[in-house]
Amino acid sequence: MRTRKVLLVIGFLVTWTYATYYLLLRQTGIHTSRHQSLQAYKLNSQVRDANLQSHHLAKNVFEFVKLKYLEKQPPPVASTPQISIVAAEISAELPEQHVAKAATARIPTKTYLANGEPVFPVVVFACNRVSVKKCIDNLVQYRPSVEQFPIIVSQDCGDEPTKEAILSYGKQVTLIEQPDLSDITVLPKEKKFKGYYKIARHYGWALNTTFAVGFEFVIIVEDDLNVAPDFFEYFLGTHKLLKQDPSLWCVSAWNDNGKAAVVDAAQPELLYRTDFFPGLGWMLTKDLWAELSVKWPKSFWDDWIRHPAQRKDRVCIRPEISRTRTFGKIGVSNGLFFDKYLKHIKLSEDFVQFTKINMSYLLKDNYDNTFLRRVYTYPIVTYDELRRNLIRIEGPVRIQYTTREQYKRTTKMLGLMDDFKSGVPRTAYHGIVSFYYNKRRVHLAPKANWKGYELSWS
């Protein structure tokens, strides 16, 4: 009812403005003296200004009504970043923010080498942490070719000490600066998540800027990541899969369940398909960015990308042993999961020649015909039998789960991450989470007649 009254007031204001303008035009339309004509001209200008002010007033009232309406939407179930999909959708309804034009970026323009191999720009996202030097030092140390792997540091926030740290590398890296440092209007209940809005804006600008050069692939690295010695080799050996298999949409260097106690250190070359988007050092193609950029969210981009509407049953490649490790406990997420999981992730120390390995086993048909078939031939055991080494047979085993509660209880006992994003457990493929425990390969798996992920499990 209050909204209807506001709209009636707006209608009255607009009608009064135009009626006044019409009457004044008629009065000044008669040929008068030169002095009177000048007075009429000034009066017309004043009327036009009043008309413009009325228009702005009406627009502001409309925006007020919109925000009041949005604030009355039912609140998300959780108070943590699990509300991300809802927040991203609501944020799209807020008034558009002012976006400054991007300054011309000094990004290398060579997209292919003379031998026909693609150039892989490594985009490092930075803000206000001078510790970005740890990340850049690592990248520069292990980079096999400056020409094939140009390092582009994209900085948001405008922090001068961080900028100076980046510029200290001279020609070894290229600095581009996110030009829009304006504040972002968010709903009152989203103010504590404003940092996630700025991150999404930064990602959108930097990826648009980089892909605009014409690169086929981009590797994304956050400023709080260390990389393994074979980080670049890993992407060199896997990038063709993204072109060969339409069911793949990213290659990630990260294993969410990559703690030393649950990975096989003797198999650093082992890779998997996963339905879960890992992030934290990952590669995407220009075709995928062309698809995502037109609907890029205003917040929580990583949870948004995991939603079925974006994922579309596509999967990522991830390693047994992580090729990245985060050292950034302090940040927008306030160390979420850091002490319990992230700081324990094992970073691979071996150099695997991925470019010499036949990666065809990771293509969908080959993988499903081997991995999925084998998992369901392994014997079912209990956690207690596994923990106490009561299993008499050698080789891989399977622990079965049927409910969300059973899954979470089992993962907590095993020391695995127990959460879901859009119904998908971390590292899962067809619901199967593979890990290493007590010198044995273990698959935490649903029943063989699994019907798919349930959004309600998140």
Side-chain angles (χ1 to χ4, degrees):
M1 188 69 182
R2 185 177 298 175
T3 300
R4 186 178 298 175
K5 289 180 179 179
V6 172
L7 292 175
L8 287 172
V9 171
I10 294 170
F12 174 77
L13 285 171
V14 173
T15 304
W16 174 81
T17 300
Y18 280 105
T20 304
Y21 182 53
Y22 175 75
L23 290 172
L24 285 169
L25 279 178
R26 284 182 57 88
Q27 182 178 350
T28 58
I30 304 171
H31 293 288
T32 59
S33 67
R34 185 166 185 169
H35 176 72
Q36 288 176 321
S37 296
L38 182 60
Q39 292 276 32
Y41 175 78
K42 290 180 179 179
L43 201 54
N44 279 338
S45 298
Q46 292 172 358
V47 170
R48 282 194 295 270
D49 290 341
N51 184 37
L52 185 60
Q53 290 174 6
S54 177
H55 174 75
H56 285 316
L57 175 62
K59 182 179 179 181
N60 289 337
V61 175
F62 270 114
E63 296 296 349
F64 171 78
V65 172
K66 186 190 295 184
L67 286 173
K68 291 292 288 182
Y69 170 75
L70 286 171
E71 286 178 7
K72 294 177 182 178
Q73 295 294 324
V77 175
S79 60
T80 69
Q82 289 179 348
I83 68 168
S84 57
I85 299 300
V86 175
E89 290 175 352
I90 289 178
S91 68
E93 298 301 322
L94 290 170
E96 285 295 321
Q97 309 297 321
H98 170 72
V99 179
K101 288 187 177 180
T104 303
R106 298 174 288 104
I107 296 176
T109 57
K110 181 180 289 187
T111 57
Y112 285 90
L113 302 180
N115 62 5
E117 288 190 1
V119 171
F120 300 86
V122 180
V123 179
V124 180
F125 284 86
C127 180
N128 58 1
R129 295 188 285 201
V130 294
S131 57
V132 67
K133 285 178 66 69
K134 294 181 182 179
C135 174
I136 299 175
D137 284 343
N138 233 194
L139 291 169
V140 170
Q141 177 185 2
Y142 295 128
R143 176 170 57 175
S145 166
V146 175
E147 186 180 25
Q148 189 166 23
F149 294 98
I151 298 172
I152 302 165
V153 184
S154 180
Q155 187 190 5
D156 199 359
C157 308
D159 184 68
E160 281 300 320
T162 303
K163 180 178 178 179
E164 290 175 9
I166 298 166
L167 290 175
S168 70
Y169 289 88
K171 294 183 179 180
Q172 294 183 90
V173 306
T174 298
L175 170 65
I176 59 175
E177 298 178 83
Q178 207 282 94
D180 183 10
L181 302 182
S182 63
D183 195 24
I184 295 179
T185 303
V186 298
L187 299 174
K189 61 187 176 184
E190 298 297 323
K191 283 186 178 179
K192 62 182 176 180
F193 299 127
K194 185 177 287 190
Y196 292 99
Y197 288 76
K198 292 184 177 180
I199 289 172
R201 178 174 68 182
H202 185 194
Y203 268 71
W205 174 81
L207 288 174
N208 274 332
T209 302
T210 306
F211 273 116
V213 175
F215 298 110
E216 287 288 334
F217 305 90
V218 167
I219 299 170
I220 294 173
V221 176
E222 286 82 7
D223 63 350
D224 60 351
L225 291 181
N226 284 138
V227 302
D230 60 357
F231 174 82
F232 295 97
E233 175 74 3
Y234 173 66
F235 289 111
L236 273 177
T238 55
H239 76 276
K240 292 181 181 178
L241 294 170
L242 294 179
K243 294 293 187 178
Q244 295 170 348
D245 188 346
S247 72
L248 290 172
W249 72 332
C250 90
V251 176
S252 173
W254 177 260
N255 177 1
D256 278 293
N257 287 318
K259 294 194 294 185
V262 288
V263 296
D264 185 357
Q267 287 192 290
E269 77 286 351
L270 185 58
L271 307 180
Y272 296 85
R273 292 170 66 96
T274 176
D275 296 315
F276 189 89
F277 171 77
L280 294 179
W282 59 289
M283 176 171 63
L284 75 163
T285 66
K286 71 174 183 181
D287 292 334
L288 178 60
W289 181 244
E291 173 192 331
L292 298 179
S293 62
V294 295
K295 54 178 179 176
W296 192 247
K298 294 189 177 180
S299 63
F300 302 103
W301 72 265
D302 49 349
D303 283 347
W304 172 85
I305 210 173
R306 292 171 178 136
H307 195 270
Q310 277 64 249
R311 189 170 76 83
K312 300 177 182 177
D313 293 325
R314 291 173 292 190
V315 307
C316 294
I317 300 298
R318 61 96 175 169
E320 168 74 4
I321 305 176
S322 283
R323 266 57 188 189
T324 56
R325 180 174 60 195
T326 179
F327 56 82
K329 180 177 181 179
I330 305 302
V332 172
S333 62
N334 294 319
L336 191 68
F337 296 129
F338 185 85
D339 287 327
K340 192 173 182 180
Y341 296 104
L342 303 184
K343 74 177 183 180
H344 302 291
I345 297 295
K346 176 179 174 59
L347 182 67
S348 180
E349 298 175 359
D350 299 289
F351 189 96
V352 176
Q353 290 187 303
F354 286 107
T355 54
K356 303 293 178 65
I357 297 175
N358 183 355
M359 295 290 177
S360 62
Y361 75 95
L362 291 165
L363 298 174
K364 180 175 174 55
D365 291 342
N366 297 338
Y367 196 83
D368 290 357
N369 288 334
T370 54
F371 176 79
L372 292 180
R373 179 178 56 82
R374 287 176 184 172
V375 165
Y376 287 99
T377 65
Y378 299 141
I380 296 178
V381 301
T382 66
Y383 165 73
D384 192 56
E385 290 172 328
L386 180 66
R387 181 181 63 84
R388 297 170 60 190
N389 279 323
L390 299 178
I391 305 168
R392 297 181 180 180
I393 61 172
E394 297 293 328
V397 294
R398 173 166 48 111
I399 298 178
Q400 185 168 284
Y401 71 92
T402 55
T403 67
R404 176 183 182 275
E405 291 69 28
Q406 186 181 10
Y407 176 86
K408 291 182 74 68
R409 183 171 62 250
T410 304
T411 51
K412 285 180 180 178
M413 291 188 296
L414 291 165
L416 305 175
M417 295 190 78
D418 67 339
D419 63 326
F420 302 81
K421 297 291 185 180
S422 293
V424 183
R426 293 180 186 266
T427 77
Y429 185 67
H430 285 238
I432 302 166
V433 173
S434 302
F435 58 98
Y436 202 67
Y437 196 91
N438 280 352
K439 300 180 180 180
R440 186 190 297 271
R441 176 62 54 191
V442 184
H443 303 282
L444 181 58
K447 290 183 177 180
N449 63 349
W450 180 75
K451 302 299 182 184
Y453 296 110
E454 294 286 345
L455 282 172
S456 61
W457 284 30
S458 293

